[in-house]
Amino acid sequence: MAELDLDASFIPALHKPPSLLPIAKHRESLLYVVETFPITIIIGQTGSGKSTQIPQFLERAGWCSDGKIIGVTQPRRVAATTVALRVADEVGCEIGKEVGYSIRFEDVTSASTRIKFLTDALLIREALADPLLSRYSVIMVDEAHERSISTDVLLGLLKKIRKKRPELRIIVSSATLQAEEFLKFFTQSSGQESQKEEDGQPSNEIATIVSLEGRTYPIDTLYLESPAEDYVEKAVNTVFDIHTQEGEGDILVFLTGREEIDNAIQMVAERAAQLDSRHGPLQPLPLYAGLSTEQQMYVFDKTPDGTRKVVFSTNIAEASVTIDGIVHVIDCGFVKLRAYNPKTGIETLTTTPISKASASQRAGRAGRTKAGKCYRLYTEDAYQTLPETNPPEIQRSNLASTILQLKALGIDNVVRFDFLSAPPSELMSKALELLYSLGALDEYAKLTQPLGSRMAELAVEPMMAKTLLSAPQFNCLSEMLTIAAMTSLGGNVWFYHDGERNKMESSRRKFAVEEGDHLTLLNVYQTFITKGKKEAKFCHDHNLNYKSMTRAISIRAQLKRYLERFNIGVDETLSSNQQSSSTVDHGKKAEQIRRCLTSGYFAHAARMQPDGTYRNVEGGTILHAHPNSLMFNRKADWVVFHEIMETGEKTYIRDITKIEKNWLVEYAPEFYRLSGTATRA
DNA sequence: GAGCACTGC
């Protein structure tokens, strides 16, 4: 059970024989359009079958005849695998033969593969080795309207590739709202090349929009008459109204985060006790990414007859997780959105009103199996003031790794790159500055060799990539591989059940290593591998997330393969006997690791103040050790940290390790001499 | 004393 992946159990709600799908009658015209236009924008409603049928149409029409293949990208791993499995089933082949998929850690393709599903991030990675993506005759970019950074970068690349490969066919699947924007992007020449459109085609012959109708059920949308003061309370009230007044069908409630979800469930549990016995029982369940796999699985279980399931979820249920049997959706109208401030280098996580596109996506979760209802916990006037869409990710993120990747793809002038939506210049220059200070770019902003191109290939963020590539000099590569893998888990190392928070805290203390969180994570991993024998039971007993821990093993192995490809050997003999090593040895090893971390994370340094808070190097911002950090209640002087994030009122730093102040100047002399700030804090 | 929305390589 513990091995069962939530993702793998995702069952497409709409399983109709392909010939009955509305798309079937458009086969001929679709093929004609793809034949005629290099770029086709497909507006495919939910249930139109576009992702599964179009690749098959193309394959049968001969688009793979000269040994080339059809590639279909998805923003998420789950979608890539489930759609591939379904198409393989329809074609009647074994997965990995004519139809296959490729996602990180899993390449299920072979020499006979003709239709390949993959994540868009992985296709970008393929472009590092094959810049013109020459294996592909057709590339279909699915769910492009979600506008992930990878999708945006991929679309820019494809537009560039098309100039050199006019025969390549590009299909972009989009929601109605964004179709025109995609069309405009592909038909307009980018500024500097406006004079010479290489294939000389008029723009109205380059791209066109095709719309496919879908199969969904009607959804009644209801608004509040006056704004709600407390949407969590209002959501709970609405749950009880539905339960006592409406017919059967499960409820999905969108809230913004874990705290709200836990509170709401508590309230439902309390009020349900007073419920009139003629109403069936209510079963409230939480759903958010931080839950362990087992905890997430409950939302898919069928409830006993008469019991109504109420899933309180974050945005994870908006597109990533689909639950069958939802008839009522309650939408609080807010979402937590990540943004990055290039002036301070601090990420913020802020509760923000959703977009109209989000509101409609949330409502759509109600009408998948029969007619449904959506209760919006805001007024219709408030709805009208919502933005059509949220700003794309690429305009509100730290772009260091994106810029590094573009450089590695041979795009020297990243500022002139043809972005679907150009990022603000402050974001670009901030990223360029960091990459320069890490040594990935030279003073002409050219990728350095071998450091820069190796950093671009490693699947970790640039500061960690630099740390890893410095590790051999500090004689701690094996340990740093583990630390890189563990920090990549993004805080999902520990879990706890209701009321077991103290148990988790004491579990965590058992693994604590004095020097900080990075060494503690190293200790957790090594204990899991050795004493814990990589078993789920060990994780369960110590409040560790088993899925995360196995993921750390995969990430570590992959990073190690990359290093070996760079001819950097990893000596694993030192780390394996760490258990028995003396205190002196530990201190020495720990110092090497701390120095090594400083060589990559010098830009993330802070100093503790007498009151226990920290100041960053510029000195202006009050930073708090995150309560999940070992350093939350310990003394330190100078530290480096992995991540900095502002949530609500406070700015937190996470994954913190003690360092010596003079190491900063030793490993980043230019950074600290130029800014002259190291001594000010 | 007090708390990460979601993806991906």
Side-chain angles (χ1 to χ4, degrees), chain A residues 77 125 289 336 338 501 628 652 654:
Chain A
R77 297 160 52 91
R125 197 154 272 267
K336 277 188 190 168
R338 209 214 278 262
R501 191 176 294 193
N628 281 355
Y652 292 99
R654 302 168 68 96

mmCIF file of all heavy atoms in Angstrom, chain A residues 77 125 289 336 338 501 628 652 654, chain B:
data_model
loop_
_atom_site.group_PDB
_atom_site.id
_atom_site.type_symbol
_atom_site.label_atom_id
_atom_site.label_comp_id
_atom_site.label_asym_id
_atom_site.label_seq_id
_atom_site.Cartn_x
_atom_site.Cartn_y
_atom_site.Cartn_z
ATOM 1 N N ARG A 77 4.152 14.820 -14.841
ATOM 2 C CA ARG A 77 4.532 13.425 -15.039
ATOM 3 C C ARG A 77 3.320 12.497 -15.117
ATOM 4 O O ARG A 77 3.255 11.632 -15.988
ATOM 5 C CB ARG A 77 5.427 12.960 -13.885
ATOM 6 C CG ARG A 77 6.742 13.692 -13.767
ATOM 7 C CD ARG A 77 7.347 13.539 -12.367
ATOM 8 N NE ARG A 77 7.429 12.161 -11.937
ATOM 9 C CZ ARG A 77 8.476 11.380 -12.149
ATOM 10 N NH1 ARG A 77 9.528 11.830 -12.768
ATOM 11 N NH2 ARG A 77 8.479 10.136 -11.729
ATOM 12 N N ARG A 125 15.243 19.321 -22.158
ATOM 13 C CA ARG A 125 16.504 18.641 -21.870
ATOM 14 C C ARG A 125 17.021 17.890 -23.102
ATOM 15 O O ARG A 125 18.216 17.859 -23.366
ATOM 16 C CB ARG A 125 16.280 17.685 -20.705
ATOM 17 C CG ARG A 125 17.519 17.200 -20.021
ATOM 18 C CD ARG A 125 17.223 16.819 -18.594
ATOM 19 N NE ARG A 125 17.344 17.963 -17.719
ATOM 20 C CZ ARG A 125 18.465 18.281 -17.065
ATOM 21 N NH1 ARG A 125 19.539 17.541 -17.195
ATOM 22 N NH2 ARG A 125 18.514 19.339 -16.301
ATOM 23 N N ALA A 289 -0.422 18.714 -1.019
ATOM 24 C CA ALA A 289 0.759 17.996 -1.496
ATOM 25 C C ALA A 289 1.646 17.478 -0.375
ATOM 26 O O ALA A 289 2.326 16.474 -0.540
ATOM 27 C CB ALA A 289 1.558 18.889 -2.425
ATOM 28 N N LYS A 336 -2.944 30.511 -2.965
ATOM 29 C CA LYS A 336 -1.632 31.026 -2.564
ATOM 30 C C LYS A 336 -0.729 31.029 -3.786
ATOM 31 O O LYS A 336 -0.555 30.004 -4.446
ATOM 32 C CB LYS A 336 -1.018 30.157 -1.455
ATOM 33 C CG LYS A 336 -1.533 30.539 -0.097
ATOM 34 C CD LYS A 336 -0.789 29.818 1.008
ATOM 35 C CE LYS A 336 -1.493 30.048 2.328
ATOM 36 N NZ LYS A 336 -0.980 29.143 3.373
ATOM 37 N N ARG A 338 2.973 32.066 -5.586
ATOM 38 C CA ARG A 338 4.374 32.348 -5.332
ATOM 39 C C ARG A 338 4.840 33.471 -6.245
ATOM 40 O O ARG A 338 4.466 33.528 -7.408
ATOM 41 C CB ARG A 338 5.196 31.091 -5.608
ATOM 42 C CG ARG A 338 6.471 31.017 -4.769
ATOM 43 C CD ARG A 338 7.572 30.360 -5.501
ATOM 44 N NE ARG A 338 7.552 28.905 -5.482
ATOM 45 C CZ ARG A 338 8.278 28.168 -4.634
ATOM 46 N NH1 ARG A 338 8.949 28.749 -3.662
ATOM 47 N NH2 ARG A 338 8.316 26.875 -4.745
ATOM 48 N N ARG A 501 1.966 16.062 16.279
ATOM 49 C CA ARG A 501 3.019 17.003 15.971
ATOM 50 C C ARG A 501 4.223 16.845 16.912
ATOM 51 O O ARG A 501 5.365 16.851 16.498
ATOM 52 C CB ARG A 501 2.469 18.439 16.072
ATOM 53 C CG ARG A 501 3.416 19.468 15.528
ATOM 54 C CD ARG A 501 2.797 20.826 15.570
ATOM 55 N NE ARG A 501 1.649 20.923 14.670
ATOM 56 C CZ ARG A 501 1.093 22.080 14.335
ATOM 57 N NH1 ARG A 501 1.565 23.195 14.813
ATOM 58 N NH2 ARG A 501 0.067 22.107 13.521
ATOM 59 N N ASN A 628 10.548 24.677 11.234
ATOM 60 C CA ASN A 628 11.008 23.338 10.876
ATOM 61 C C ASN A 628 12.522 23.195 10.939
ATOM 62 O O ASN A 628 13.040 22.106 10.752
ATOM 63 C CB ASN A 628 10.568 22.989 9.446
ATOM 64 C CG ASN A 628 9.115 22.562 9.410
ATOM 65 O OD1 ASN A 628 8.475 22.433 10.449
ATOM 66 N ND2 ASN A 628 8.606 22.343 8.220
ATOM 67 N N TYR A 652 10.945 33.853 6.343
ATOM 68 C CA TYR A 652 11.579 32.688 6.939
ATOM 69 C C TYR A 652 12.745 32.189 6.089
ATOM 70 O O TYR A 652 12.692 32.237 4.859
ATOM 71 C CB TYR A 652 10.572 31.542 7.076
ATOM 72 C CG TYR A 652 9.495 31.825 8.084
ATOM 73 C CD1 TYR A 652 8.251 32.282 7.674
ATOM 74 C CD2 TYR A 652 9.736 31.639 9.436
ATOM 75 C CE1 TYR A 652 7.259 32.554 8.604
ATOM 76 C CE2 TYR A 652 8.750 31.900 10.372
ATOM 77 C CZ TYR A 652 7.512 32.361 9.951
ATOM 78 O OH TYR A 652 6.537 32.622 10.870
ATOM 79 N N ARG A 654 15.016 28.632 5.513
ATOM 80 C CA ARG A 654 14.882 27.181 5.742
ATOM 81 C C ARG A 654 16.152 26.469 5.317
ATOM 82 O O ARG A 654 16.812 26.890 4.388
ATOM 83 C CB ARG A 654 13.724 26.624 4.912
ATOM 84 C CG ARG A 654 12.396 27.280 5.200
ATOM 85 C CD ARG A 654 11.415 26.867 4.125
ATOM 86 N NE ARG A 654 11.101 25.466 4.233
ATOM 87 C CZ ARG A 654 10.034 24.999 4.877
ATOM 88 N NH1 ARG A 654 9.173 25.820 5.403
ATOM 89 N NH2 ARG A 654 9.820 23.716 4.958
ATOM 90 P P DG B 1 6.300 31.849 24.251
ATOM 91 O OP1 DG B 1 5.377 32.633 25.042
ATOM 92 O OP2 DG B 1 6.096 30.393 24.192
ATOM 93 O "O5'" DG B 1 6.231 32.366 22.756
ATOM 94 C "C5'" DG B 1 7.088 33.427 22.324
ATOM 95 C "C4'" DG B 1 7.597 33.075 20.949
ATOM 96 O "O4'" DG B 1 8.599 32.034 21.078
ATOM 97 C "C3'" DG B 1 6.503 32.501 20.030
ATOM 98 O "O3'" DG B 1 6.495 33.217 18.817
ATOM 99 C "C2'" DG B 1 6.876 31.046 19.817
ATOM 100 C "C1'" DG B 1 8.368 31.034 20.114
ATOM 101 N N9 DG B 1 8.811 29.785 20.712
ATOM 102 C C8 DG B 1 8.083 28.876 21.435
ATOM 103 N N7 DG B 1 8.787 27.863 21.841
ATOM 104 C C5 DG B 1 10.057 28.112 21.362
ATOM 105 C C6 DG B 1 11.261 27.374 21.481
ATOM 106 O O6 DG B 1 11.438 26.311 22.059
ATOM 107 N N1 DG B 1 12.325 28.001 20.815
ATOM 108 C C2 DG B 1 12.241 29.181 20.151
ATOM 109 N N2 DG B 1 13.351 29.630 19.585
ATOM 110 N N3 DG B 1 11.128 29.884 20.039
ATOM 111 C C4 DG B 1 10.087 29.294 20.652
ATOM 112 P P DA B 2 5.085 33.273 18.036
ATOM 113 O OP1 DA B 2 5.020 34.554 17.331
ATOM 114 O OP2 DA B 2 3.975 32.855 18.926
ATOM 115 O "O5'" DA B 2 5.316 32.096 16.991
ATOM 116 C "C5'" DA B 2 6.254 32.232 15.954
ATOM 117 C "C4'" DA B 2 6.035 31.139 14.928
ATOM 118 O "O4'" DA B 2 6.434 29.867 15.467
ATOM 119 C "C3'" DA B 2 4.575 30.949 14.507
ATOM 120 O "O3'" DA B 2 4.610 30.545 13.152
ATOM 121 C "C2'" DA B 2 4.096 29.810 15.388
ATOM 122 C "C1'" DA B 2 5.353 28.955 15.458
ATOM 123 N N9 DA B 2 5.473 28.166 16.683
ATOM 124 C C8 DA B 2 4.995 28.467 17.922
ATOM 125 N N7 DA B 2 5.290 27.566 18.831
ATOM 126 C C5 DA B 2 6.019 26.618 18.143
ATOM 127 C C6 DA B 2 6.627 25.410 18.527
ATOM 128 N N6 DA B 2 6.602 24.945 19.776
ATOM 129 N N1 DA B 2 7.274 24.706 17.578
ATOM 130 C C2 DA B 2 7.310 25.188 16.322
ATOM 131 N N3 DA B 2 6.775 26.301 15.837
ATOM 132 C C4 DA B 2 6.148 26.974 16.809
ATOM 133 P P DG B 3 3.563 31.261 12.180
ATOM 134 O OP1 DG B 3 4.025 32.637 11.942
ATOM 135 O OP2 DG B 3 2.176 31.031 12.639
ATOM 136 O "O5'" DG B 3 3.813 30.399 10.867
ATOM 137 C "C5'" DG B 3 5.129 30.329 10.316
ATOM 138 C "C4'" DG B 3 5.282 29.012 9.588
ATOM 139 O "O4'" DG B 3 5.507 27.949 10.518
ATOM 140 C "C3'" DG B 3 4.055 28.611 8.782
ATOM 141 O "O3'" DG B 3 4.525 27.970 7.610
ATOM 142 C "C2'" DG B 3 3.350 27.602 9.667
ATOM 143 C "C1'" DG B 3 4.521 26.934 10.348
ATOM 144 N N9 DG B 3 4.215 26.407 11.678
ATOM 145 C C8 DG B 3 3.417 26.984 12.634
ATOM 146 N N7 DG B 3 3.369 26.290 13.738
ATOM 147 C C5 DG B 3 4.190 25.192 13.481
ATOM 148 C C6 DG B 3 4.519 24.091 14.295
ATOM 149 O O6 DG B 3 4.158 23.866 15.452
ATOM 150 N N1 DG B 3 5.365 23.202 13.649
ATOM 151 C C2 DG B 3 5.827 23.360 12.379
ATOM 152 N N2 DG B 3 6.624 22.412 11.920
ATOM 153 N N3 DG B 3 5.526 24.379 11.609
ATOM 154 C C4 DG B 3 4.710 25.252 12.213
ATOM 155 P P DC B 4 4.913 28.893 6.304
ATOM 156 O OP1 DC B 4 6.168 29.553 6.411
ATOM 157 O OP2 DC B 4 3.693 29.662 6.069
ATOM 158 O "O5'" DC B 4 5.043 27.786 5.183
ATOM 159 C "C5'" DC B 4 3.974 26.981 4.961
ATOM 160 C "C4'" DC B 4 3.817 26.810 3.488
ATOM 161 O "O4'" DC B 4 5.096 26.801 2.829
ATOM 162 C "C3'" DC B 4 3.206 25.424 3.273
ATOM 163 O "O3'" DC B 4 2.349 25.550 2.185
ATOM 164 C "C2'" DC B 4 4.399 24.590 2.878
ATOM 165 C "C1'" DC B 4 5.215 25.605 2.087
ATOM 166 N N1 DC B 4 6.658 25.286 1.958
ATOM 167 C C2 DC B 4 7.309 24.560 2.958
ATOM 168 O O2 DC B 4 6.674 24.188 3.912
ATOM 169 N N3 DC B 4 8.623 24.285 2.805
ATOM 170 C C4 DC B 4 9.281 24.690 1.747
ATOM 171 N N4 DC B 4 10.572 24.380 1.671
ATOM 172 C C5 DC B 4 8.641 25.439 0.736
ATOM 173 C C6 DC B 4 7.332 25.712 0.887
ATOM 174 P P DA B 5 0.792 25.856 2.540
ATOM 175 O OP1 DA B 5 0.614 26.972 3.431
ATOM 176 O OP2 DA B 5 0.289 24.527 2.883
ATOM 177 O "O5'" DA B 5 0.259 26.191 1.118
ATOM 178 C "C5'" DA B 5 0.851 25.473 0.031
ATOM 179 C "C4'" DA B 5 -0.052 25.640 -1.131
ATOM 180 O "O4'" DA B 5 0.226 26.921 -1.706
ATOM 181 C "C3'" DA B 5 0.264 24.648 -2.242
ATOM 182 O "O3'" DA B 5 -0.391 23.453 -2.004
ATOM 183 C "C2'" DA B 5 -0.366 25.395 -3.416
ATOM 184 C "C1'" DA B 5 0.098 26.813 -3.093
ATOM 185 N N9 DA B 5 1.402 27.107 -3.681
ATOM 186 C C8 DA B 5 2.637 27.150 -3.084
ATOM 187 N N7 DA B 5 3.612 27.433 -3.893
ATOM 188 C C5 DA B 5 2.992 27.583 -5.114
ATOM 189 C C6 DA B 5 3.470 27.896 -6.387
ATOM 190 N N6 DA B 5 4.742 28.143 -6.657
ATOM 191 N N1 DA B 5 2.576 27.954 -7.387
ATOM 192 C C2 DA B 5 1.283 27.711 -7.122
ATOM 193 N N3 DA B 5 0.703 27.415 -5.961
ATOM 194 C C4 DA B 5 1.625 27.369 -4.993
ATOM 195 P P DC B 6 0.370 22.059 -2.201
ATOM 196 O OP1 DC B 6 -0.583 20.981 -1.937
ATOM 197 O OP2 DC B 6 1.643 22.111 -1.475
ATOM 198 O "O5'" DC B 6 0.719 22.093 -3.771
ATOM 199 C "C5'" DC B 6 -0.335 21.940 -4.704
ATOM 200 C "C4'" DC B 6 0.152 22.314 -6.065
ATOM 201 O "O4'" DC B 6 0.779 23.608 -6.039
ATOM 202 C "C3'" DC B 6 1.287 21.438 -6.580
ATOM 203 O "O3'" DC B 6 0.787 20.190 -7.002
ATOM 204 C "C2'" DC B 6 1.735 22.287 -7.742
ATOM 205 C "C1'" DC B 6 1.664 23.687 -7.149
ATOM 206 N N1 DC B 6 2.982 24.186 -6.664
ATOM 207 C C2 DC B 6 3.887 24.708 -7.594
ATOM 208 O O2 DC B 6 3.551 24.744 -8.793
ATOM 209 N N3 DC B 6 5.088 25.157 -7.176
ATOM 210 C C4 DC B 6 5.408 25.087 -5.890
ATOM 211 N N4 DC B 6 6.592 25.548 -5.511
ATOM 212 C C5 DC B 6 4.508 24.541 -4.917
ATOM 213 C C6 DC B 6 3.321 24.101 -5.339
ATOM 214 P P DT B 7 1.742 18.934 -7.078
ATOM 215 O OP1 DT B 7 0.949 17.745 -6.874
ATOM 216 O OP2 DT B 7 2.927 19.242 -6.235
ATOM 217 O "O5'" DT B 7 2.120 18.995 -8.612
ATOM 218 C "C5'" DT B 7 3.388 19.205 -8.958
ATOM 219 C "C4'" DT B 7 3.470 19.788 -10.323
ATOM 220 O "O4'" DT B 7 3.610 21.201 -10.239
ATOM 221 C "C3'" DT B 7 4.728 19.261 -10.977
ATOM 222 O "O3'" DT B 7 4.367 18.184 -11.789
ATOM 223 C "C2'" DT B 7 5.250 20.465 -11.733
ATOM 224 C "C1'" DT B 7 4.822 21.617 -10.850
ATOM 225 N N1 DT B 7 5.811 22.001 -9.802
ATOM 226 C C2 DT B 7 6.850 22.807 -10.186
ATOM 227 O O2 DT B 7 6.986 23.201 -11.330
ATOM 228 N N3 DT B 7 7.734 23.140 -9.174
ATOM 229 C C4 DT B 7 7.670 22.737 -7.850
ATOM 230 O O4 DT B 7 8.508 23.109 -7.044
ATOM 231 C C5 DT B 7 6.552 21.880 -7.505
ATOM 232 C C7 DT B 7 6.392 21.400 -6.086
ATOM 233 C C6 DT B 7 5.692 21.570 -8.484
ATOM 234 P P DG B 8 5.293 16.884 -11.713
ATOM 235 O OP1 DG B 8 4.599 15.889 -12.537
ATOM 236 O OP2 DG B 8 5.668 16.598 -10.326
ATOM 237 O "O5'" DG B 8 6.620 17.371 -12.461
ATOM 238 C "C5'" DG B 8 6.531 17.837 -13.789
ATOM 239 C "C4'" DG B 8 7.858 18.444 -14.174
ATOM 240 O "O4'" DG B 8 8.073 19.656 -13.446
ATOM 241 C "C3'" DG B 8 9.053 17.565 -13.829
ATOM 242 O "O3'" DG B 8 9.263 16.671 -14.893
ATOM 243 C "C2'" DG B 8 10.161 18.595 -13.740
ATOM 244 C "C1'" DG B 8 9.453 19.856 -13.256
ATOM 245 N N9 DG B 8 9.670 20.131 -11.842
ATOM 246 C C8 DG B 8 8.978 19.630 -10.778
ATOM 247 N N7 DG B 8 9.399 20.069 -9.626
ATOM 248 C C5 DG B 8 10.449 20.905 -9.962
ATOM 249 C C6 DG B 8 11.312 21.676 -9.140
ATOM 250 O O6 DG B 8 11.309 21.760 -7.910
ATOM 251 N N1 DG B 8 12.241 22.384 -9.890
ATOM 252 C C2 DG B 8 12.339 22.358 -11.251
ATOM 253 N N2 DG B 8 13.290 23.101 -11.798
ATOM 254 N N3 DG B 8 11.539 21.660 -12.040
ATOM 255 C C4 DG B 8 10.630 20.956 -11.324
ATOM 256 P P DC B 9 10.260 15.478 -14.700
ATOM 257 O OP1 DC B 9 9.962 14.534 -15.777
ATOM 258 O OP2 DC B 9 10.230 15.044 -13.300
ATOM 259 O "O5'" DC B 9 11.668 16.155 -14.978
ATOM 260 C "C5'" DC B 9 11.948 16.636 -16.289
ATOM 261 C "C4'" DC B 9 13.323 17.206 -16.305
ATOM 262 O "O4'" DC B 9 13.410 18.250 -15.312
ATOM 263 C "C3'" DC B 9 14.423 16.196 -15.967
ATOM 264 O "O3'" DC B 9 15.379 16.206 -17.016
ATOM 265 C "C2'" DC B 9 15.055 16.713 -14.689
ATOM 266 C "C1'" DC B 9 14.684 18.188 -14.715
ATOM 267 N N1 DC B 9 14.570 18.786 -13.361
ATOM 268 C C2 DC B 9 15.451 19.829 -12.996
ATOM 269 O O2 DC B 9 16.289 20.217 -13.819
ATOM 270 N N3 DC B 9 15.363 20.347 -11.759
ATOM 271 C C4 DC B 9 14.438 19.893 -10.912
ATOM 272 N N4 DC B 9 14.386 20.451 -9.705
ATOM 273 C C5 DC B 9 13.533 18.849 -11.260
ATOM 274 C C6 DC B 9 13.624 18.315 -12.489
#
